[in-house]
Amino acid sequence: MKNGFILISTISIIAILSILTLFINSLTISNALTISNFNDSIEQRIKIINYERFVINSLQNNSNQLRNLQFAEGEINYLVSQKFPTLSVKFYDLNSCLNLNSIVKPFRSLLVKNEDNYIYFENLLDSVGIDKLNSEEFIHRLVDYIDSDQLPEPLGAEDLFYVSDESYNLTVDTFITDKSQIIDLKILNYDDLHKIYDQICAIPTTENKFNINSLSIDNFLLFKALFTEITLDEMQQIIINKPQYGYLNAKSLIDLNPYLENKIDLEILIFKPEFLQISFKININNKDYYFFTVADLKNKNNQISIRTITK
């Protein structure tokens, strides 16, 4: 009986050691794969940054591409796929949405409310059916969140309000860097946020300009908020009359659409994007990674405003 007990104990120990060995080996293999994936990921991201430069330079040096982003996207994806088949690129024109930071303007060393742009926010929120009181409170909060004075709007709130409430996670007195930050203002409910979310964006400037060559049915409401005298039929006509590579300038736009001459503010109208979000999608070991770049196409020396990576 004693010998049998020793034999069973020995077998048990061997079995335990075998399981431990398998477990350690699996951890080693898993760690090795993780390290390999990480190293591969770093290498691929470096390649993306190099392609990022290629994409931006290509767009800046070819006005036709900028005036027709859909064509440019197809052309760039074809060129990239020749050397990098797991990478794809998508463009988002950030001059076809309402810039949240345009609610303020520089005044001496401060950022203060921009009265001229205020009406655009009112028009947009009204056009999507948001209650007027909620609309006003949202805009006032937005002003106070970004501006750098300490004078609250009638329905707004300045720094001390946010500091005193631990549930707020806001960096006040500065530009909004991502439109999702408006959720933290806690004024509009989910349904109201959804109504305006695709019509807004955040770019690092107080200017608000609209690229006429990116006019589409998706941003008709915003265009109407900016240019209130233009009808829906006239917007559709602008799209129908657009040349293959887009409108070249104001003369080109008016010549093809003479009814616009006294209806459109050319000061906020542009013909190619100045800020562009470039979305890179890459597949690494059967996992998709997304790399987002916001490029300032006016500035050739410091083109990248924001970079983010998500998995």
Side-chain angles (χ1 to χ4, degrees), residues 147-168:
D147 72 13
S148 52
D149 63 32
Q150 295 301 315
L151 302 174
E153 295 296 305
L155 299 176
E158 282 294 348
D159 303 2
L160 289 177
F161 173 81
Y162 298 111
V163 172
S164 63
D165 189 337
E166 294 182 357
S167 67
Y168 287 98

Side-chain angles (χ1 to χ4, degrees), residues 105-158:
K105 63 181 179 181
F107 176 72
R108 297 176 182 171
S109 60
L110 300 174
L111 291 174
V112 299
K113 180 171 68 175
N114 189 329
E115 298 284 359
D116 293 333
N117 288 345
Y118 191 95
I119 186 65
Y120 302 145
F121 287 84
E122 283 188 322
N123 289 345
L124 178 61
L125 271 63
D126 180 61
S127 68
V128 299
I130 294 177
D131 176 78
K132 188 168 181 61
L133 181 60
N134 286 344
S135 170
E136 288 297 300
E137 187 173 5
F138 170 76
I139 300 172
H140 287 192
R141 284 282 186 94
L142 182 64
V143 171
D144 285 337
Y145 172 41
I146 303 174
D147 72 13
S148 52
D149 63 32
Q150 295 301 315
L151 302 174
E153 295 296 305
L155 299 176
E158 282 294 348

Side-chain angles (χ1 to χ4, degrees), residues 284-298:
I284 302 173
N285 297 319
N286 296 319
K287 291 183 180 179
D288 288 333
Y289 293 83
Y290 298 87
F291 185 99
F292 298 95
T293 295
V294 174
D296 180 354
L297 298 177
K298 295 184 301 178

Side-chain angles (χ1 to χ4, degrees), residues 84-268:
F84 210 161
T86 62
L87 177 67
S88 62
V89 178
K90 191 168 184 61
F91 299 142
Y92 299 92
D93 185 356
L94 296 181
N95 290 112
S96 63
C97 45
L98 185 59
N99 176 22
L100 292 168
N101 293 312
S102 69
I103 196 65
V104 298
K105 63 181 179 181
F107 176 72
R108 297 176 182 171
S109 60
L110 300 174
L111 291 174
V112 299
K113 180 171 68 175
N114 189 329
E115 298 284 359
D116 293 333
N117 288 345
Y118 191 95
I119 186 65
Y120 302 145
F121 287 84
E122 283 188 322
N123 289 345
L124 178 61
L125 271 63
D126 180 61
S127 68
V128 299
I130 294 177
D131 176 78
K132 188 168 181 61
L133 181 60
N134 286 344
S135 170
E136 288 297 300
E137 187 173 5
F138 170 76
I139 300 172
H140 287 192
R141 284 282 186 94
L142 182 64
V143 171
D144 285 337
Y145 172 41
I146 303 174
D147 72 13
S148 52
D149 63 32
Q150 295 301 315
L151 302 174
E153 295 296 305
L155 299 176
E158 282 294 348
D159 303 2
L160 289 177
F161 173 81
Y162 298 111
V163 172
S164 63
D165 189 337
E166 294 182 357
S167 67
Y168 287 98
N169 184 25
L170 303 174
T171 303
V172 292
D173 296 349
T174 187
F175 282 159
I176 287 177
T177 57
D178 188 280
K179 63 181 180 179
S180 63
Q181 290 174 254
I182 65 169
I183 297 172
D184 288 333
L185 295 178
K186 299 180 180 179
I187 300 298
L188 301 182
N189 60 34
Y190 175 83
D191 290 337
D192 285 345
L193 284 170
H194 182 72
K195 291 175 184 177
I196 66 167
Y197 207 70
D198 290 339
Q199 307 292 323
I200 60 175
C201 55
I203 53 179
T205 176
T206 58
E207 293 181 326
N208 192 64
K209 296 182 180 180
F210 190 92
N211 177 16
I212 190 65
N213 287 314
S214 288
L215 177 64
S216 71
I217 192 171
D218 294 329
N219 52 39
F220 270 9
L221 287 176
L222 171 61
F223 194 76
K224 181 67 174 175
L226 299 176
F227 307 101
T228 54
E229 294 185 25
I230 298 179
T231 66
L232 179 61
D233 288 341
E234 289 170 339
M235 289 185 228
Q236 292 174 329
Q237 203 61 43
I238 293 172
I239 295 174
I240 292 170
N241 293 340
K242 184 172 69 173
Q244 180 182 3
Y245 290 108
Y247 294 105
L248 182 64
N249 49 34
K251 184 179 184 305
S252 167
L253 175 65
I254 301 300
D255 285 349
L256 293 171
N257 305 277
Y259 55 86
L260 294 177
E261 188 165 8
N262 297 316
K263 288 186 173 185
I264 202 158
D265 181 1
L266 294 175
E267 289 188 4
I268 63 171

